[in-house]
Amino acid sequence: MPTPLPRTLTPCRRTLRFDLLTALILLTLAALLNGCAQPPRYANSDGAQLDKPLREVLRWYWSRDRSQADRPVQLPVRREPRATEPAAPGELSATWVGHSTVLLRLDGVNVITDPQFSRRASPLRFAGPERRTPLPFEISALPHIHLVLISHNHYDHLDEASVLALQAQPGGPPIFVVPQGLDAWFHDLGIRDNVHVIAWWARQALAGVGVSAVPARHWSGRGLFDRGATHWTGWVVQRGGYSVYFAGDTGYGDGSDFRRIGQRFPALDLALIPVGAYEPRWFMREQHTDPAEAVQLFRDLGARQALGIHWGTFALADEALDAPIAALAAARRSQGVAEADFRLLEHGQTWVLHAPPHPAQ
């Protein structure tokens, strides 16, 4: 299927006053209260911790060029019944809800990654990254979710309202699978018995699915004092002979993490790989892959096919919302990867990799 092309909207008046004011307040508090923060508990596989010094954060805020990120872009949104249908036995399919939220149908089990259905990816209702592409459907339209994969605690990946909505879903709550240290956040919400913690390279059988935690190159933090207090992770889920890798949020590093994942889990059927929020590279490289690195990561894994995520929904960096479309196409061409093997979907679009042998009536 050809890659969807965006339509540029007539520019409208926008203000960043609240976002900039909030950023400055947080940065000032961080500088004043930095001594109160606890040393990071978790690190990447090489022992490194991604802890940007305040001067680099300030340099980015004061020197950044937002002309592309703020350019109004309308990306297509599909609203079709197939997007909210439950998984059938023998099926492997993926519906991209937006950003890093993907509904996976895995041989009769409904799995969702990093559910984020809120208007903003922020601790504040009036400021912070706002959803730029509408949801294809509300969280209440989801089929009954059996398993929720949480990669880390940043607001664009861990959304309290979405978690609480899933906890209250008809038919009973799902199983939440989280990296080390993040269970306490769920406990504070009153969610205890259905939260499972898995450390890197460990595996559990949950809801009939083999769930393995694998390394990612990133960091964690939801406030001023919790940098590195919880871990971050990628996931591999296996059921019915199918295997899917969800990278979560990650930089590329030297690629050794992903080559090791590919060796441990050969012939992955599908890899969900981030392709957005990557500019400027001097600031984002350690924590976010760009499209060229995403294609290289796909090749390192040895996966059969990949879906690009973490783009087109929230403006988190300095590239345009639709920039990954052309950048990924160029990266595929330069690295000899077919478009059919590393795809981008429209919001709400479903990719059926393996149809059920007997479609549900």
Side-chain angles (χ1 to χ4, degrees):
M1 187 201 75
T3 301
L5 296 176
R7 300 189 299 274
T8 302
L9 294 175
T10 302
C12 60
R13 296 181 63 185
R14 303 175 66 90
T15 175
L16 298 173
R17 183 177 301 167
F18 289 121
D19 286 355
L20 289 174
L21 178 60
T22 302
L24 288 173
I25 291 172
L26 291 176
L27 288 170
T28 302
L29 287 173
L32 293 174
L33 303 175
N34 186 55
C36 300
Q38 297 296 315
R41 179 178 178 185
Y42 294 101
N44 288 309
S45 59
D46 58 2
Q49 294 163 342
L50 304 185
D51 191 6
K52 292 286 186 185
L54 180 61
R55 65 179 180 276
E56 288 194 10
V57 179
L58 289 172
R59 175 187 166 197
W60 179 46
Y61 268 103
W62 288 117
S63 67
R64 63 186 303 194
D65 178 1
R66 295 193 60 117
S67 60
Q68 289 300 305
D70 292 337
R71 177 170 58 84
V73 171
Q74 180 178 317
L75 293 166
V77 179
R78 291 200 187 190
R79 293 181 171 89
E80 49 193 19
R82 179 70 184 92
T84 55
E85 290 179 358
E91 178 183 8
L92 175 60
S93 67
T95 298
W96 186 48
V97 180
H99 200 54
S100 296
T101 305
V102 178
L103 173 60
L104 292 170
R105 299 171 190 83
L106 188 63
D107 185 34
V109 176
N110 301 315
V111 181
I112 197 165
T113 64
D114 285 354
Q116 182 19 299
F117 285 79
S118 290
R119 179 188 170 196
R120 292 187 185 273
S122 170
L124 303 172
R125 292 185 178 182
F126 63 88
E130 187 172 10
R131 188 176 295 273
R132 296 270 298 274
T133 303
L135 284 165
F137 52 83
E138 296 298 328
I139 195 167
S140 59
L142 286 170
H144 182 82
I145 299 298
H146 302 103
L147 195 63
V148 182
L149 305 178
I150 301 293
S151 65
H152 65 299
N153 71 356
H154 288 160
Y155 288 92
D156 55 318
H157 296 261
L158 180 61
D159 177 61
E160 181 175 328
S162 300
V163 166
L164 290 174
L166 288 169
Q167 176 69 8
Q169 70 177 347
I175 294 173
F176 294 94
V177 192
V178 304
Q180 289 177 293
L182 196 49
D183 52 330
W185 183 89
F186 284 81
H187 295 169
D188 288 343
L189 294 180
I191 303 173
R192 291 182 174 273
D193 296 340
N194 52 318
V195 178
H196 291 257
V197 177
I198 306 181
W200 285 357
W201 301 121
R203 183 182 189 274
Q204 293 185 28
L206 301 168
V209 177
V211 185
S212 301
V214 294
R217 295 192 61 82
H218 205 58
W219 56 285
S220 67
R222 288 174 76 83
L224 297 176
F225 310 122
D226 63 344
R227 178 68 66 95
T230 65
H231 218 178
W232 45 94
T233 194
W235 299 105
V236 174
V237 289
Q238 298 171 296
R239 176 179 166 86
Y242 300 137
S243 58
V244 178
Y245 164 69
F246 169 50
D249 218 350
T250 189
Y252 180 73
D254 63 3
S256 59
D257 286 332
F258 311 108
R259 291 189 290 273
R260 193 174 299 116
I261 293 168
Q263 292 165 2
R264 186 75 65 93
F265 301 96
L268 291 158
D269 291 285
L270 178 64
L272 309 178
I273 302 175
V275 299
Y278 53 83
E279 292 289 352
R281 294 311 289 150
W282 68 265
F283 188 79
M284 294 292 181
R285 181 182 302 278
E286 292 180 328
Q287 56 195 328
H288 289 156
T289 52
D290 66 11
E293 290 170 329
V295 174
Q296 182 61 58
L297 192 161
F298 167 62
R299 296 170 59 204
D300 291 342
L301 289 171
R304 292 189 172 101
Q305 292 180 295
L307 172 62
I309 60 172
H310 200 265
W311 74 282
T313 310
F314 299 103
L316 302 175
D318 290 353
E319 81 273 7
L321 204 66
D322 58 347
I325 297 175
L328 182 62
R332 285 193 305 252
R333 288 193 300 269
S334 67
Q335 298 186 49
V337 172
E339 180 178 357
D341 291 338
F342 197 143
R343 305 185 187 187
L344 297 179
L345 299 180
E346 297 175 2
H347 289 73
Q349 185 177 359
T350 299
W351 178 9
V352 179
L353 290 88
H354 296 279
H358 302 288
Q361 299 298 317

